[in-house]
Amino acid sequence: MPSNTSKGFTPRSRPWDALALLASLGRKDVALSNDALAPYLELIDYSMVTEFDSQNFDAFLSKLEGDGLSFTPEFTTFREVWRRDEWNHYVGYRRLVNILTGVPEAELHQRTLSRPSDFGEIATFLQDEFLICMTFAYDEIVTRHACSMAKDIYRAFGHETFLTWIYLVGRDEAWHFMNLVEVIRLRHQHRLGECAAVLERLLAWDRERRPYHSTFVLDHDLDLLGEATLRRCANILYRAVLR
């Protein structure tokens, strides 16, 4: 049974305000024409809705708690920080989509809310805190790499604030990853021997290109990221938990 102490665990975190960062920007600050911008809109819209899906994932974790799954104090502390960060990312991406398309944020929010979520297909990865942390950490390091890959897009927008935006989102994702690794190492040392097999299962899932059902985790586009990137992310996680 987990103790009630957090063993001195303090999640890496530095709160910031996405809406304040983007407040002064408008379509005039984007150097790209509508035609040049068009190929990027789907990716940014997808980033917006998947960041919102953190709310669905958090609700699913609460349901697991209600069904009797216990979480350690470290994971609970991390979860509070993560939930705050992801909401900040969501409202920031929502503002970006508004800037780029002119669609009102209220309309974007209603469209995002209308998407149902279904955790049934990925429940096997979320049966206990160890598996949740492994799946969660894999997802966060993949998102960190996706942010890095997107820097050229935001640089092309022409205003330095867009590049600051994606840097801060990527930094948060990297810290989420490191926080989860620390929870695994603090609380689940006895299961580290399972890490390789869990990661192979996650990679196999991504290779199968399963449909995404608004679950926040396992939202990866294999065509965009490439199998080599996913393998590299899995290797980073494996080395981090076993260091």
Side-chain angles (χ1 to χ4, degrees):
M1 294 290 293
S3 72
N4 292 322
T5 66
S6 63
K7 298 187 177 181
F9 172 71
T10 302
R12 298 167 180 82
S13 175
R14 187 177 301 164
W16 57 286
D17 187 332
L19 293 181
L21 176 70
L22 302 171
S24 65
L25 297 181
R27 181 64 180 87
K28 67 183 186 330
D29 298 299
V30 182
L32 300 180
S33 67
N34 288 340
D35 287 344
L37 182 61
Y40 307 131
L41 291 178
E42 183 177 356
L43 173 63
I44 295 171
D45 187 87
Y46 187 67
S47 297
M48 175 188 73
V49 298
T50 54
E51 293 288 74
F52 173 84
D53 290 342
S54 60
Q55 307 300 302
N56 299 333
F57 187 43
D58 189 65
F60 180 75
L61 295 177
S62 293
K63 179 181 182 301
L64 292 178
E65 285 185 292
D67 291 341
L69 180 62
S70 63
F71 292 122
T72 62
E74 292 85 356
F75 182 78
T76 299
T77 300
F78 159 73
R79 183 177 158 193
E80 293 170 358
V81 168
W82 160 79
R83 184 171 54 233
R84 179 204 65 208
D85 290 347
E86 298 297 348
W87 183 258
N88 187 50
H89 298 171
Y90 163 63
V91 298
Y93 274 116
R94 191 177 65 194
R95 176 62 56 82
L96 277 174
V97 175
N98 165 256
I99 291 169
L100 299 175
T101 68
V103 177
E105 289 183 63
E107 181 179 332
L108 293 171
H109 187 60
Q110 286 304 311
R111 173 166 62 81
T112 303
L113 281 174
S114 70
R115 298 157 48 256
S117 64
D118 184 354
F119 288 82
E121 290 188 5
I122 66 169
T124 185
F125 297 111
L126 305 172
Q127 294 177 339
D128 55 50
E129 184 179 290
F130 169 71
L131 291 172
I132 289 168
C133 285
M134 287 293 296
T135 304
F136 209 161
Y138 172 67
D139 197 78
E140 294 289 342
I141 193 61
V142 171
T143 305
R144 169 67 185 89
H145 275 68
C147 289
S148 182
M149 293 167 68
K151 284 181 181 177
D152 286 345
I153 296 173
Y154 289 93
R155 186 178 290 109
F157 287 179
H159 195 291
E160 64 181 11
T161 299
F162 292 114
L163 200 55
T164 300
W165 154 262
I166 199 62
Y167 164 78
L168 289 171
V169 172
R171 183 200 67 184
D172 287 350
E173 307 296 5
W175 281 349
H176 296 165
F177 167 76
M178 289 186 281
N179 290 331
L180 285 160
V181 166
E182 190 169 352
V183 173
I184 293 167
R185 288 177 53 79
L186 281 171
R187 288 295 189 170
H188 304 287
Q189 279 279 341
H190 61 293
R191 297 187 64 181
L192 294 185
E194 301 175 42
C195 289
V198 172
L199 289 169
E200 290 302 323
R201 288 172 54 210
L202 289 166
L203 288 167
W205 176 275
D206 276 337
R207 283 195 298 269
E208 291 172 5
R209 302 172 187 270
R210 301 288 190 94
Y212 173 67
H213 296 297
S214 306
T215 54
F216 181 74
V217 292
L218 300 178
D219 60 335
H220 312 139
D221 185 332
L222 188 62
D223 292 330
L224 177 66
L225 294 166
E227 188 171 342
T229 295
L230 296 177
R231 171 64 67 178
R232 184 162 60 252
C233 290
N235 290 342
I236 290 169
L237 174 52
Y238 183 77
R239 290 194 299 269
V241 294
L242 270 76
R243 70 181 187 275

